[in-house]
Amino acid sequence: MKPTTKFHKDILKESRKLRPVTKAQAQWAIGECFEHFAFRVQNGNTACMDCGHTWHSDETSGKCVCPRCGRELTLETTRKQKASGKMYFNVLGMHGKYQTLRMFAIFAEMRKGKKAEYSIVEIGQYWVAPNGQCAVIGLRRSMSYYVDCFAYSSPMEIRSKDDVFADIARDFPMYPKMKIIPSLHIDVMGNKFFNMSPARCISRFLSQPQLETLMKNDTEQVFKYFLNRPYDCRMCWASYKIAKRHNYEITDLGLWCDYIKMLQTCKKDTHNPHYICPDNLRQAHNIYHKKVMAIEERRRREADIRRKEKEALAEQEKRDSFLKLKSKFFGLVISDGEIEVKVLESVEEFIEEGDVQHICVGTAMYYGKKDSLILSARINGKRIETVEVSLETLSVIQCRGACNQNTEYHDRIVDLVNSNARLIKDRMTA
């Protein structure tokens, strides 16, 4: 997506200045991301799938060490000649004033007797500003639930949804040499980012300084609750501090936060200990739950009234428009002595015509069409077919009987209306 904010434009510009993955990072990823094999055949000939060296081994399984490259290998007796693999890894660092988390895909292609070939492609980046603002730059993905669906030829752009990137950042190996933005004053690495995406964790700590206070001074349960619910932390923080100053014991933090939000809905003073420190939290919660439900019900009724008023106004506008456009044709009757074709003169007549004939002339709002005229063909007052005439060509567009079927009078009705088109034209020019 195109960058629209100053932050997006800046990080997209800075992203182009990032250096490729270093040799040390690549070597670490090769060793960390893949299981390394030695393939052995029945006669004992063994090949290191990393460096391509071959030697004789009497072991049939377990671990071994390549005599040439010294890498510990998993020994597998097999006739396979090649293997491949794919994995992701992350690098946490800084670029200027920003915290960066870069995500890479690493590919391995291994063949007996040859040195393994590895390639690394950057798939995404998290950028976190000192104020906690966070954005993702990454490759385009196809619409799939699978992680491995990146379009590797697509450009690195701002991406709106970051769930997959967050999963990669949280679940895949992290390069051990990490750099943390200086404005973050606590050790989130030592706590393994609290089982969150590192960038998301850092962003929350930077945007919500309350979390640092909770981490240092409150229980782990309270801290983790607010860490995973930033909205509750922002909404209830002032009330929470007042409750703590009054030594109020919150027995159920989730219930208490819901209670505070209901107090705000009811426009109560959430800085008053009388409200925020109830003797019986559950009872107070239930009381205000009923009050909020009553408020919501009143809002729904008011919205329903406004909707009905709007619909009535729109319906009246349609009726007024119909009268303005078609009143000149009212009273027009075309007859051959047996069949009588008359203009429908009100919205109610359109609806009745549609109900009786089981057609959509009313529900499809044909009365609102500016360029056509609707007539009803009848014999002795009984509806036979419904006729639509074009006001541009003065000819029948369609003529339908009950359930959109033609009757035995169909051709007569069409010929009757077409042959008397001058009557319609006279009304148009009158």
Side-chain angles (χ1 to χ4, degrees), residues 44-269:
N45 287 338
T46 306
C48 172
M49 300 303 290
D50 252 34
C51 68
H53 178 65
T54 58
W55 73 97
H56 183 83
S57 175
D58 293 327
E59 298 292 332
T60 58
S61 62
K63 297 288 184 179
C64 67
V65 176
C66 175
R68 177 190 288 177
C69 65
R71 187 180 292 280
E72 186 179 21
L73 307 168
T74 299
L75 188 62
E76 184 177 330
T77 302
T78 179
R79 296 177 65 182
K80 290 193 295 185
Q81 297 292 311
K82 58 184 180 179
S84 61
K86 176 183 177 182
M87 191 65 169
Y88 298 97
F89 71 95
N90 304 282
V91 177
L92 187 66
M94 292 187 300
H95 183 80
K97 63 181 179 179
Y98 296 110
Q99 179 77 60
T100 61
L101 175 66
R102 303 176 69 185
M103 293 159 279
F104 299 90
I106 180 170
F107 304 86
E109 292 294 336
M110 295 165 278
R111 185 181 292 273
K112 267 189 177 182
K114 293 186 178 181
K115 188 175 181 179
E117 295 180 357
Y118 296 94
S119 58
I120 296 175
V121 178
E122 188 164 16
I123 59 163
Q125 305 160 358
Y126 272 98
W127 290 77
V128 184
N131 63 357
Q133 192 173 4
C134 183
V136 177
I137 296 176
L139 300 178
R140 185 171 61 247
R141 298 181 66 255
S142 62
M143 296 180 66
S144 172
Y145 291 105
Y146 295 101
V147 173
D148 299 320
C149 56
F150 291 98
Y152 291 102
S153 60
S154 64
M156 294 281 281
E157 295 178 340
I158 301 290
R159 300 299 171 190
S160 57
K161 293 187 177 180
D162 66 338
D163 290 345
V164 170
F165 293 107
D167 291 342
I168 292 173
R170 182 189 64 232
D171 299 333
F172 289 88
M174 177 77 70
Y175 183 61
K177 293 182 180 180
M178 306 180 223
K179 295 180 181 179
I180 297 294
I181 194 168
S183 52
L184 190 66
H185 302 120
I186 58 175
D187 180 20
V188 291
M189 291 187 296
N191 292 279
K192 296 182 180 179
F193 304 103
F194 306 100
N195 199 33
M196 298 175 66
S197 162
R200 187 173 290 178
C201 177
I202 291 171
S203 174
R204 288 189 181 177
F205 270 97
L206 291 173
S207 61
Q208 294 182 256
Q210 303 94 330
L211 294 174
E212 184 176 344
T213 302
L214 291 169
M215 184 178 177
K216 293 177 178 177
N217 301 302
D218 219 315
T219 64
E220 182 181 0
Q221 181 182 6
V222 172
F223 164 72
K224 287 187 174 180
Y225 179 88
F226 283 124
L227 175 65
N228 291 296
R229 296 168 180 83
Y231 176 78
D232 284 6
C233 186
R234 288 192 298 270
M235 293 289 290
C236 304
W237 180 246
S239 301
Y240 182 78
K241 289 193 296 182
I242 294 170
K244 294 295 287 185
R245 282 202 300 270
H246 285 77
N247 297 317
Y248 180 69
E249 182 181 357
I250 302 175
T251 54
D252 188 329
L253 186 57
L255 193 71
W256 183 81
C257 287
D258 290 342
Y259 169 66
I260 296 299
K261 286 181 279 187
M262 288 190 291
L263 288 177
Q264 293 171 346
T265 302
C266 294
K267 302 188 183 304
K268 299 298 181 182
D269 184 5

Side-chain angles (χ1 to χ4, degrees), residues 289-418:
H289 173 70
K290 292 179 181 179
K291 291 183 178 181
V292 169
M293 292 297 291
I295 291 172
E296 292 299 322
E297 179 61 28
R298 185 167 63 252
R299 287 176 180 171
R300 281 193 293 270
R301 286 199 303 269
E302 292 172 353
D304 191 48
I305 291 171
R306 289 194 298 270
R307 179 182 58 80
K308 289 180 178 179
E309 289 175 349
K310 188 175 180 180
E311 289 176 353
L313 181 61
E315 184 65 26
Q316 187 59 46
E317 289 177 352
K318 290 177 184 176
R319 292 171 186 269
D320 294 343
S321 176
F322 170 73
L323 290 173
K324 183 179 178 181
L325 292 171
K326 306 296 171 62
S327 59
K328 65 180 72 174
F329 301 104
F330 290 176
L332 176 62
V333 178
I334 302 172
S335 176
D336 65 356
E338 181 183 9
I339 300 174
E340 184 180 85
V341 185
K342 65 181 293 289
V343 173
L344 297 180
E345 299 182 358
S346 68
V347 174
E348 287 75 14
E349 286 190 6
F350 275 82
I351 295 172
E352 183 181 358
E353 184 85 7
D355 290 342
V356 173
Q357 295 288 80
H358 302 290
I359 57 177
C360 63
V361 68
T363 55
M365 297 184 288
Y366 273 69
Y367 51 82
K369 297 181 72 172
K370 297 179 181 180
D371 56 353
S372 67
L373 183 68
I374 308 301
L375 306 95
S376 178
R378 306 179 184 186
I379 296 177
N380 297 326
K382 182 180 178 181
R383 291 177 176 86
I384 305 301
E385 292 194 9
T386 305
V387 186
E388 181 181 8
V389 177
S390 170
L391 294 178
E392 293 181 356
T393 63
L394 297 179
S395 59
V396 174
I397 300 173
Q398 57 179 331
C399 186
R400 310 277 185 175
C403 301
N404 289 302
Q405 299 296 317
N406 293 341
T407 66
E408 59 183 300
Y409 302 98
H410 175 76
D411 293 336
R412 282 181 61 189
I413 294 170
V414 173
D415 291 340
L416 176 63
V417 175
N418 283 335

